[in-house]
Amino acid sequence: MWLPFIEQVLNIDLSKDNGGQFADTVTAVMLLGGTDVDRRQFLAASAAVGLAALDLPDAEAVTRRANRPGPVAVGMGEVAAVRTMTTTLGDAASELGGGHARHLAVRYLTMDVKRWLDGRYTEKTGRELFAATSELVHLIGWMARDEGNQGLSQKYHLHSFRLAAEAGENELAATALRGLADQAIDLGHIPTAVRLAEACEQRGRKLTNAKALAYYRNTYARAAAADGDHTTAAKLLTSAQAAIEHAPALPGQSWASHYSHGRWAHESGMIHAKLGDLAAAEEHLHLALDIHGLDRKRTRAIVLADLGQVQLKRGNTEAALASWSEFLDCADGVQSVRINDGLTNIAARLPGIADSPASAELGERIAARA
């Protein structure tokens, strides 16, 4: 039975009549934000069945809330406020990691945004408000994942998808699916990841945003590579490159529009590494760092950790140690599970590297962070 899984994911009790209606997505996400517990296990079963349920958004969700009495009048000014706060909190998280300020984002959601969602607004404003809330919820999911709270992250991404679908925002919905797919890949749930990535890429085909197309295609390529489907992965890599080559350099307003050329180069490099082409992988990682320049401490640190791994596999120990030393410089003060994983991976490989002043110094620096 899939029903218990949907109840678990959405925090809804469907065994009761509930007045003849399901609890809506706004109610469910506010309940999640209010309880916001640490659930570290990816809900693999619910993700597999949840994909089918995600194709059935509540088409009347906005209409039911629009034009009804509420405690406060809501207009586009409040929508703009949500988007501004999401951008501000996202910038801080990108620089310092999701471990910083997630509680502030959750509090903003459950206090200010909830009051506006429960307020008085037109249907047009309601759709914009749902879309803006979807972006904020997606950010909180990303922050939770970057903290290592995988199950919690998954639930926020599911709610982000539903809010976006109910608002009629196809790009936001695809981006939420992309977050779920990427998470499933990292946690080794590959069949689920392939299904989610395929659904994401299919939604993305309807868009004209070149960065979004590259974003979704590279995610599908990564899932295919993890699944051992090298033919599909290579085809999607080529398609993603064609899209990013036509994308503007400056970021746009949406989450997917912030998918930079540098992030594309980093992800493409790691897909090439998974496919066994280490030379192409190193070339793309250098491209990300040297040509497209990643200016966020967290992002640059992650690329440097990955570059060192690729260089070590290619037998260039000296270059790997240099990359990892720069990684430690960038990682200082960043709170992210990706940074912690990088430290763990480097520490595990150092004993297998011939003794040298550089490796000894690196080991001492890592030990000092423990």
Side-chain angles (χ1 to χ4, degrees), residues 10-21:
L10 299 181
N11 278 326
I12 300 174
D13 182 2
L14 301 182
S15 63
K16 301 177 182 178
D17 181 41
N18 288 322
Q21 294 183 350

Side-chain angles (χ1 to χ4, degrees), residues 255-311:
W255 186 286
S257 293
H258 280 77
Y259 187 65
S260 65
H261 292 73
R263 288 184 62 192
W264 163 81
H266 176 210
E267 288 190 346
S268 297
M270 298 315 295
I271 296 168
H272 280 296
K274 186 69 176 180
L275 296 176
D277 190 345
L278 295 178
E282 184 169 358
E283 178 183 355
H284 278 79
L285 294 177
H286 278 301
L287 187 68
L289 292 168
D290 300 336
I291 298 177
H292 294 307
L294 299 168
D295 59 354
R296 302 292 190 187
K297 286 179 61 178
R298 175 190 172 277
T299 307
R300 191 170 185 86
I302 291 168
V303 177
L304 286 163
D306 288 339
L307 176 60
Q309 305 284 7
V310 170
Q311 290 168 328

Side-chain angles (χ1 to χ4, degrees), residues 55-240:
D55 289 332
L56 300 171
D58 182 356
E60 303 300 321
V62 177
T63 305
R64 283 198 306 273
R65 284 182 168 264
N67 300 312
R68 69 178 189 179
V72 61
V74 180
M76 291 306 296
E78 285 71 28
V79 173
V82 176
R83 289 182 168 142
T84 298
M85 281 296 293
T86 301
T87 298
T88 301
L89 291 164
D91 285 344
S94 294
E95 179 74 12
L96 300 171
H100 284 276
R102 186 174 69 82
H103 67 287
L104 295 178
V106 173
R107 183 175 177 83
Y108 183 66
L109 170 70
T110 57
M111 299 292 288
D112 297 272
V113 179
K114 181 182 186 301
R115 183 165 56 91
W116 294 331
L117 285 163
D118 290 338
R120 305 187 307 275
Y121 44 82
T122 64
E123 183 172 340
K124 180 179 179 181
T125 298
R127 294 194 181 281
E128 292 288 343
L129 185 59
F130 267 52
T133 304
S134 171
E135 292 180 281
L136 175 61
V137 171
H138 185 83
L139 172 63
I140 296 171
W142 181 90
M143 288 172 153
R145 181 182 171 195
D146 205 44
E147 284 183 307
N149 298 335
Q150 302 293 350
L152 187 61
S153 171
Q154 184 197 28
K155 294 178 76 175
Y156 275 115
H157 283 320
L158 283 164
H159 285 308
S160 175
F161 173 87
R162 290 178 64 85
L163 287 164
E166 289 166 6
E169 287 288 344
N170 201 49
E171 183 184 314
L172 290 176
T175 299
L177 288 177
R178 186 264 169 199
L180 286 166
D182 196 55
Q183 181 185 28
I185 296 168
D186 283 348
L187 295 173
H189 299 282
I190 304 306
T192 295
V194 171
R195 291 184 65 197
L196 289 165
E198 182 179 20
C200 164
E201 194 273 335
Q202 286 175 346
R203 275 185 172 267
R205 293 174 192 171
K206 304 173 185 178
L207 304 173
T208 58
N209 183 341
K211 286 187 176 181
L213 294 176
Y215 195 33
Y216 306 146
R217 289 169 185 171
N218 251 9
T219 301
Y220 192 7
R222 186 167 174 245
D227 198 37
D229 186 352
H230 289 200
T231 300
T232 299
K235 179 181 177 180
L236 287 162
L237 267 176
T238 300
S239 183

